Amino acid sequence: MTDPTIPPNYETAISTSPEEGGSSGEAAALYPPTNSQPTFVDNTAGNDSPGICQPQQLYPACGAPPPMEKESEIRTAATNISIPNWEARLEACVGRKVTLNIPFDSILSTFPDSKSRVKALQTLLTGAKGVVNQGMAAVKMETQMSAVELLVRAFEVSTEDDAVKEDIATKVHKIDFFTQPLGSAPQSKTLSFVEGGIAYNAVLSGGGGGIFNKKELHALFEKEFYAEERALVTKFVYFGLPEAEARLEAAMGKKVEIDFDIITMLGACTSQEDRLPAARTIITRTKLSAKAEVSAKRALTSIATAATALANKAQDKPPPETNPEPEQIPHNSPNVLLPLVEAIEFCCKQHETVRQSIATAISRIHFGLIPGQNLVGTLNLHQAIELPVVPPSAVGTPPIENGALVYHGCFEAGSKGCFTKSDIVDFLEAHFRCREKGYVHALMSSTVPTANARLSEVLGRPFEIEVAWTTIFNDALTMKQRLDVAETLCGQNSRFVVQPMVQAICTVVKKFDEAQYPAMEQAAGPPENPIKMRVHRVVIKGVPGAGTKPSLTLTALAQGTDMRSALTYSCGLERGTHGCYDVTDFKETLRKMFGIATPKDEGGIYAAMGKADATLSKIGNDVGKKLSKMKFW
């Protein structure tokens, strides 16, 4: 691969003296002296001033002007200090000696005056100062990095992976610098990987625009060596993937094969330029999602720190110290693999039956890439990859064993081409009813037994709450509707159904007994409490329809004169919390049913306050549910 802008004698020069260079003394070997091209002679040996290049020897009688003091200082510092330092850094990162060939005479021969030569030397070696900000305040001058410094840093970054480092060491032994003629367009700069090294042909007359910046050098190394891509893949394969496998095994109780052939996936990209962005999406965080996460964390940390500082101030304690450590770049696939692992962990924790169902159905997880920017990713269950998709189960148990979960993402489109944790949880919910089973289990194993015990104590006999599940989850409900119904009925220890009901029944029964206590003192005996006498069971039913209102009815448990009845509580659970009674409404409806007067301490403003409190609680719950579904990154 040869650059047409390189002088014709370049290939001859590198083939005849491949190991020499690193100082300005090589110019004589690369570029023999001519009438139009002065020769630079490094007179650092046998001189009264070691390391000082004598002007009369630098510019023999060929009509070229002598160098100014600034020019000599730059060249001397580069020869004695900068170039050896750069070569030492290159050797440290590449693992072998890499020679920097900078023929000063050849490079500077195209510049007519000392001022332009100094500017060229600064661009190449020391970095030129330029205006980076100008406004109401004073002009800010900042030194930009030189061409050589930028290139050395590119080597240091690109050799992070051992395999890439070895490839670069094999291919690059020397770096030769040139400049194009005065007046050339900055865009005509070139950097070529040639036999034995690199040919860097800058446009030094163009200042910073005539050399390769950090981004451009990164792209060149990526095109030639796949440097960052290979470094990311190595870290993911050796660290991210094993961690995910261990977490899945712990969550599911069995070893799961993760088929994540990332090399094949990246090979399916639309073009080579799409490989690195896709690799970043798969393995680490994209810049946008990373910035969003860091911003959110900083905001939350600031709030927490401020609150702690106020509390400590009240107790005369010093404020907490902030953590100055920077966030580490993750390599555990936070956009792709990690959300899947977290989703499976979350679902397996809902109930043991859910974990068993997932472990039975899934033994392999396969990942693939769909080329292009279109968001057409898929997430499916298969008995085997080559077999048809398994549809969601109507009973929450897929009819497969040791099947495959197949994930095809549009990773060229960035993080938006990946499935979020919420997406994957919803997918698993459709197949396994994970959260629904978790809600029902929590209700029947904890909430209902506790409520039965409390009602039995207040009513003075065994009491039972029954849930008519066939009416709660009717066949017309979608997966999301079933989940909303389960959350309304069971969520937060049945905060909006069982708890208000139990509190209302207990309050009405106790206050009725307290109101009749004077009659007991007169030995006349209090009238029978109608709720204690008649209500022996509560049945919670679901009524379909988005506009259904809650209601209470009494249903006899036996024929004839037996007064024992079941209190049927019908809820419009599809409406969410608005389809249920709050404590105030339940007490009012219950008292009307049994002809019990409302106590004075519950009427008027007290009732209004209780109603307002319940309404605010429902509104807060609705807002919280909406916020929990929002995606901040």
Side-chain angles (χ1 to χ4, degrees):
M1 181 176 180
T2 306
D3 191 333
T5 61
I6 298 174
N9 62 335
Y10 173 69
E11 294 293 344
T12 304
I14 66 169
S15 64
T16 56
S17 55
E19 297 301 324
E20 295 187 9
S23 72
S24 54
E26 189 184 1
L30 287 176
Y31 299 98
T34 64
N35 292 334
S36 59
Q37 182 172 305
T39 302
F40 169 67
V41 179
D42 187 354
N43 190 28
T44 57
N47 195 308
D48 293 338
S49 301
I52 304 299
C53 301
Q54 302 304 315
Q56 65 273 19
Q57 295 177 336
L58 292 175
Y59 293 91
C62 58
M68 299 295 289
E69 182 180 355
K70 181 66 173 177
E71 181 182 341
S72 297
E73 289 177 358
I74 295 175
R75 292 174 61 161
T76 301
T79 302
N80 296 336
I81 302 174
S82 301
I83 292 176
N85 287 342
W86 282 322
E87 289 181 335
R89 287 167 60 186
L90 286 171
E91 184 173 359
C93 67
V94 176
R96 63 156 296 153
K97 182 172 178 59
V98 177
T99 304
L100 294 177
N101 296 325
I102 307 177
F104 291 114
D105 288 349
S106 301
I107 289 174
L108 299 178
S109 63
T110 60
F111 295 95
D113 53 62
S114 183
K115 183 177 180 180
S116 60
R117 292 196 298 273
V118 168
K119 181 180 177 182
L121 289 173
Q122 289 175 334
T123 302
L124 179 64
L125 301 170
T126 64
K129 289 188 176 181
V131 178
V132 295
N133 186 22
Q134 186 173 10
M136 295 296 291
V139 176
K140 180 182 178 182
M141 303 294 289
E142 186 173 285
T143 301
Q144 301 172 347
M145 280 189 284
S146 67
V148 184
E149 176 64 26
L150 285 167
L151 182 59
V152 172
R153 293 194 180 195
F155 269 90
E156 291 172 335
V157 171
S158 299
T159 53
E160 181 181 353
D161 181 75
D162 289 340
V164 177
K165 177 179 179 179
E166 184 177 345
D167 287 352
I168 292 177
T170 301
K171 194 165 187 176
V172 180
H173 305 167
K174 61 191 301 185
I175 304 171
D176 294 279
F177 289 86
F178 310 93
T179 187
Q180 297 186 32
L182 193 66
S184 299
Q187 295 77 11
S188 61
K189 61 192 176 187
T190 60
L191 189 148
S192 305
F193 288 89
V194 296
E195 183 181 356
I198 293 176
Y200 190 136
N201 202 350
V203 183
L204 297 179
S205 59
I211 61 175
F212 288 91
N213 59 34
K214 176 182 176 181
K215 183 178 180 180
E216 293 168 335
L217 289 169
H218 178 275
L220 289 167
F221 276 87
E222 196 64 28
K223 183 177 181 180
E224 188 71 19
F225 300 104
Y226 298 94
E228 183 183 348
E229 176 189 319
R230 292 164 69 184
L232 289 173
V233 169
T234 299
K235 290 180 179 179
F236 172 67
V237 170
Y238 283 98
F239 301 103
L241 197 55
E243 176 189 341
E245 290 174 336
R247 290 178 61 175
L248 282 177
E249 183 175 359
M252 297 174 62
K254 61 178 283 188
K255 189 170 181 61
V256 179
E257 177 188 356
I258 300 180
D259 182 8
F260 208 119
D261 189 351
I262 191 168
I263 303 300
T264 301
M265 292 165 62
L266 295 177
C269 287
T270 306
S271 65
Q272 181 182 352
E273 288 73 19
D274 295 310
R275 290 176 61 106
L276 180 57
R280 287 172 174 166
T281 298
I282 295 171
I283 298 171
T284 188
R285 289 201 184 278
T286 55
K287 290 184 178 180
L288 181 61
S289 62
K291 287 181 179 178
E293 183 185 31
V294 170
S295 298
K297 285 183 177 179
R298 285 178 178 173
L300 293 174
T301 302
S302 298
I303 294 173
T305 301
T308 307
L310 288 174
N312 290 339
K313 185 177 181 181
Q315 301 177 20
D316 295 327
K317 294 182 179 179
E321 295 183 1
T322 57
N323 184 8
E325 296 182 2
E327 292 286 338
Q328 292 186 348
I329 300 176
H331 298 94
N332 57 352
S333 189
N335 292 322
V336 182
L337 183 55
L338 186 59
L340 178 66
V341 172
E342 291 178 344
I344 292 177
E345 287 176 333
F346 172 80
C347 291
C348 287
K349 289 178 181 178
Q350 299 306 303
H351 192 247
E352 176 60 20
T353 59
V354 176
R355 186 200 65 77
Q356 293 175 358
S357 296
I358 293 176
T360 301
I362 301 175
S363 291
R364 180 185 181 191
I365 302 175
H366 173 81
F367 289 86
L369 179 145
I370 299 176
Q373 297 286 329
N374 295 329
L375 304 180
V376 290
T378 58
L379 191 63
N380 293 304
L381 270 184
H382 300 253
Q383 178 60 66
I385 295 178
E386 63 276 5
L387 296 179
V389 173
V390 176
S393 169
V395 295
T397 305
I400 61 173
E401 291 185 11
N402 298 322
L405 174 60
V406 181
Y407 181 131
H408 283 108
C410 307
F411 306 130
E412 290 182 26
S415 58
K416 62 180 180 290
C418 311
F419 292 99
T420 64
K421 177 183 175 181
S422 177
D423 295 331
I424 300 170
V425 168
D426 287 344
F427 166 80
L428 295 172
E429 184 71 30
H431 283 276
F432 299 97
R433 306 277 177 82
C434 315
R435 288 171 288 180
E436 177 186 318
K437 292 178 181 178
Y439 280 130
V440 171
H441 171 72
L443 179 76
M444 300 308 296
S445 64
S446 177
T447 306
V448 168
T450 301
N452 286 340
R454 185 179 179 193
L455 288 172
S456 298
E457 180 183 356
V458 171
L459 296 175
R461 52 179 162 74
F463 196 87
E464 185 179 82
I465 296 174
E466 177 186 331
V467 182
W469 292 111
T470 55
T471 65
I472 300 296
F473 298 116
N474 63 75
D475 295 336
L477 295 178
T478 64
M479 180 275 291
K480 289 191 175 182
Q481 287 175 324
R482 290 176 66 95
L483 187 58
D484 288 341
V485 166
E487 185 175 3
T488 301
L489 173 61
C490 313
Q492 302 177 69
N493 200 28
S494 193
R495 177 183 176 187
F496 296 100
V497 180
V498 174
Q499 286 194 44
M501 178 191 73
V502 171
Q503 182 180 346
I505 293 174
C506 292
T507 301
V508 171
V509 170
K510 287 182 178 180
K511 289 198 173 184
F512 182 89
D513 290 344
E514 291 171 356
Q516 306 306 319
Y517 187 74
M520 295 176 63
E521 291 183 335
Q522 297 172 10
E528 287 287 341
N529 189 316
I531 298 176
K532 286 184 176 181
M533 181 176 63
R534 298 193 60 182
V535 179
H536 288 248
R537 180 185 302 172
V538 171
V539 179
I540 300 175
K541 294 177 60 177
V543 182
T548 305
K549 294 182 179 180
S551 63
L552 290 178
T553 56
L554 276 177
T555 305
L557 295 175
Q559 301 293 330
T561 59
D562 192 338
M563 298 294 292
R564 292 179 301 168
S565 302
L567 180 65
T568 301
Y569 179 16
S570 299
C571 304
L573 297 174
E574 293 178 36
R575 293 184 60 200
T577 58
H578 302 284
C580 313
Y581 282 131
D582 56 41
V583 175
T584 302
D585 290 337
F586 200 103
K587 290 189 295 185
E588 182 181 353
T589 306
L590 188 63
R591 285 182 174 126
K592 285 182 180 180
M593 176 180 288
F594 289 98
I596 299 175
T598 301
K600 293 181 179 180
D601 62 352
E602 290 188 20
I605 190 171
Y606 299 104
M609 291 174 64
K611 183 69 176 175
D613 182 62
T615 301
L616 288 174
S617 179
K618 290 182 178 181
I619 293 174
N621 180 72
D622 293 342
V623 172
K625 288 172 66 176
K626 290 179 180 179
L627 287 175
S628 67
K629 295 178 181 178
M630 293 179 67
K631 300 173 184 177
F632 293 98
W633 57 81

PDB file of all heavy atoms in Angstrom, residues 304-314 317-320:
ATOM      1  N   ALA A 304     -28.965  13.042  47.745  1.00  0.00           N
ATOM      2  CA  ALA A 304     -28.675  12.279  48.963  1.00  0.00           C
ATOM      3  C   ALA A 304     -27.616  12.973  49.817  1.00  0.00           C
ATOM      4  O   ALA A 304     -27.720  13.032  51.047  1.00  0.00           O
ATOM      5  CB  ALA A 304     -28.217  10.864  48.591  1.00  0.00           C
ATOM      6  N   THR A 305     -26.599  13.517  49.147  1.00  0.00           N
ATOM      7  CA  THR A 305     -25.531  14.201  49.876  1.00  0.00           C
ATOM      8  C   THR A 305     -26.061  15.445  50.573  1.00  0.00           C
ATOM      9  O   THR A 305     -25.717  15.736  51.728  1.00  0.00           O
ATOM     10  CB  THR A 305     -24.393  14.587  48.910  1.00  0.00           C
ATOM     11  OG1 THR A 305     -23.888  13.407  48.288  1.00  0.00           O
ATOM     12  CG2 THR A 305     -23.269  15.291  49.659  1.00  0.00           C
ATOM     13  N   ALA A 306     -26.911  16.193  49.864  1.00  0.00           N
ATOM     14  CA  ALA A 306     -27.476  17.409  50.451  1.00  0.00           C
ATOM     15  C   ALA A 306     -28.348  17.078  51.665  1.00  0.00           C
ATOM     16  O   ALA A 306     -28.291  17.753  52.694  1.00  0.00           O
ATOM     17  CB  ALA A 306     -28.293  18.162  49.402  1.00  0.00           C
ATOM     18  N   ALA A 307     -29.167  16.012  51.532  1.00  0.00           N
ATOM     19  CA  ALA A 307     -30.031  15.621  52.651  1.00  0.00           C
ATOM     20  C   ALA A 307     -29.204  15.185  53.852  1.00  0.00           C
ATOM     21  O   ALA A 307     -29.493  15.544  54.999  1.00  0.00           O
ATOM     22  CB  ALA A 307     -30.969  14.500  52.200  1.00  0.00           C
ATOM     23  N   THR A 308     -28.163  14.398  53.591  1.00  0.00           N
ATOM     24  CA  THR A 308     -27.294  13.943  54.679  1.00  0.00           C
ATOM     25  C   THR A 308     -26.568  15.110  55.332  1.00  0.00           C
ATOM     26  O   THR A 308     -26.393  15.152  56.551  1.00  0.00           O
ATOM     27  CB  THR A 308     -26.271  12.925  54.147  1.00  0.00           C
ATOM     28  OG1 THR A 308     -26.959  11.887  53.458  1.00  0.00           O
ATOM     29  CG2 THR A 308     -25.454  12.335  55.288  1.00  0.00           C
ATOM     30  N   ALA A 309     -26.156  16.071  54.509  1.00  0.00           N
ATOM     31  CA  ALA A 309     -25.459  17.242  55.042  1.00  0.00           C
ATOM     32  C   ALA A 309     -26.363  18.043  55.974  1.00  0.00           C
ATOM     33  O   ALA A 309     -25.932  18.516  57.032  1.00  0.00           O
ATOM     34  CB  ALA A 309     -24.958  18.108  53.896  1.00  0.00           C
ATOM     35  N   LEU A 310     -27.640  18.193  55.578  1.00  0.00           N
ATOM     36  CA  LEU A 310     -28.578  18.922  56.435  1.00  0.00           C
ATOM     37  C   LEU A 310     -28.798  18.179  57.747  1.00  0.00           C
ATOM     38  O   LEU A 310     -28.838  18.794  58.818  1.00  0.00           O
ATOM     39  CB  LEU A 310     -29.915  19.106  55.701  1.00  0.00           C
ATOM     40  CG  LEU A 310     -29.907  20.117  54.549  1.00  0.00           C
ATOM     41  CD1 LEU A 310     -31.242  20.085  53.811  1.00  0.00           C
ATOM     42  CD2 LEU A 310     -29.640  21.527  55.078  1.00  0.00           C
ATOM     43  N   ALA A 311     -28.933  16.853  57.651  1.00  0.00           N
ATOM     44  CA  ALA A 311     -29.128  16.072  58.884  1.00  0.00           C
ATOM     45  C   ALA A 311     -27.904  16.150  59.794  1.00  0.00           C
ATOM     46  O   ALA A 311     -28.022  16.294  61.016  1.00  0.00           O
ATOM     47  CB  ALA A 311     -29.426  14.614  58.522  1.00  0.00           C
ATOM     48  N   ASN A 312     -26.737  16.081  59.194  1.00  0.00           N
ATOM     49  CA  ASN A 312     -25.507  16.153  59.993  1.00  0.00           C
ATOM     50  C   ASN A 312     -25.320  17.536  60.607  1.00  0.00           C
ATOM     51  O   ASN A 312     -24.793  17.677  61.709  1.00  0.00           O
ATOM     52  CB  ASN A 312     -24.295  15.801  59.134  1.00  0.00           C
ATOM     53  CG  ASN A 312     -24.271  14.323  58.774  1.00  0.00           C
ATOM     54  OD1 ASN A 312     -24.901  13.514  59.447  1.00  0.00           O
ATOM     55  ND2 ASN A 312     -23.553  13.987  57.717  1.00  0.00           N
ATOM     56  N   LYS A 313     -25.740  18.551  59.838  1.00  0.00           N
ATOM     57  CA  LYS A 313     -25.619  19.919  60.360  1.00  0.00           C
ATOM     58  C   LYS A 313     -26.451  20.096  61.622  1.00  0.00           C
ATOM     59  O   LYS A 313     -26.047  20.770  62.577  1.00  0.00           O
ATOM     60  CB  LYS A 313     -26.051  20.918  59.289  1.00  0.00           C
ATOM     61  CG  LYS A 313     -25.849  22.366  59.686  1.00  0.00           C
ATOM     62  CD  LYS A 313     -26.224  23.296  58.550  1.00  0.00           C
ATOM     63  CE  LYS A 313     -26.006  24.753  58.948  1.00  0.00           C
ATOM     64  NZ  LYS A 313     -26.390  25.679  57.861  1.00  0.00           N
ATOM     65  N   ALA A 314     -27.632  19.464  61.600  1.00  0.00           N
ATOM     66  CA  ALA A 314     -28.487  19.561  62.779  1.00  0.00           C
ATOM     67  C   ALA A 314     -27.849  18.867  63.975  1.00  0.00           C
ATOM     68  O   ALA A 314     -28.109  19.211  65.124  1.00  0.00           O
ATOM     69  CB  ALA A 314     -29.853  18.942  62.485  1.00  0.00           C
ATOM     70  N   LYS A 317     -22.379  17.529  62.869  1.00  0.00           N
ATOM     71  CA  LYS A 317     -21.401  16.620  62.290  1.00  0.00           C
ATOM     72  C   LYS A 317     -20.886  17.196  60.983  1.00  0.00           C
ATOM     73  O   LYS A 317     -21.592  17.960  60.325  1.00  0.00           O
ATOM     74  CB  LYS A 317     -22.039  15.250  62.032  1.00  0.00           C
ATOM     75  CG  LYS A 317     -22.440  14.503  63.287  1.00  0.00           C
ATOM     76  CD  LYS A 317     -23.019  13.144  62.923  1.00  0.00           C
ATOM     77  CE  LYS A 317     -23.415  12.361  64.172  1.00  0.00           C
ATOM     78  NZ  LYS A 317     -23.996  11.036  63.811  1.00  0.00           N
ATOM     79  N   PRO A 318     -19.665  16.851  60.593  1.00  0.00           N
ATOM     80  CA  PRO A 318     -19.163  17.354  59.311  1.00  0.00           C
ATOM     81  C   PRO A 318     -19.948  16.745  58.152  1.00  0.00           C
ATOM     82  O   PRO A 318     -20.451  15.628  58.257  1.00  0.00           O
ATOM     83  CB  PRO A 318     -17.699  16.884  59.290  1.00  0.00           C
ATOM     84  CG  PRO A 318     -17.676  15.705  60.216  1.00  0.00           C
ATOM     85  CD  PRO A 318     -18.698  16.001  61.282  1.00  0.00           C
ATOM     86  N   PRO A 319     -20.076  17.454  57.025  1.00  0.00           N
ATOM     87  CA  PRO A 319     -20.812  16.926  55.865  1.00  0.00           C
ATOM     88  C   PRO A 319     -20.090  15.719  55.282  1.00  0.00           C
ATOM     89  O   PRO A 319     -18.877  15.572  55.443  1.00  0.00           O
ATOM     90  CB  PRO A 319     -20.815  18.106  54.880  1.00  0.00           C
ATOM     91  CG  PRO A 319     -19.636  18.929  55.272  1.00  0.00           C
ATOM     92  CD  PRO A 319     -19.518  18.778  56.761  1.00  0.00           C
ATOM     93  N   PRO A 320     -20.822  14.834  54.599  1.00  0.00           N
ATOM     94  CA  PRO A 320     -20.183  13.639  54.028  1.00  0.00           C
ATOM     95  C   PRO A 320     -19.247  14.001  52.894  1.00  0.00           C
ATOM     96  O   PRO A 320     -19.458  14.974  52.175  1.00  0.00           O
ATOM     97  CB  PRO A 320     -21.373  12.821  53.504  1.00  0.00           C
ATOM     98  CG  PRO A 320     -22.425  13.848  53.230  1.00  0.00           C
ATOM     99  CD  PRO A 320     -22.253  14.904  54.290  1.00  0.00           C
TER     100      PRO A 320
END
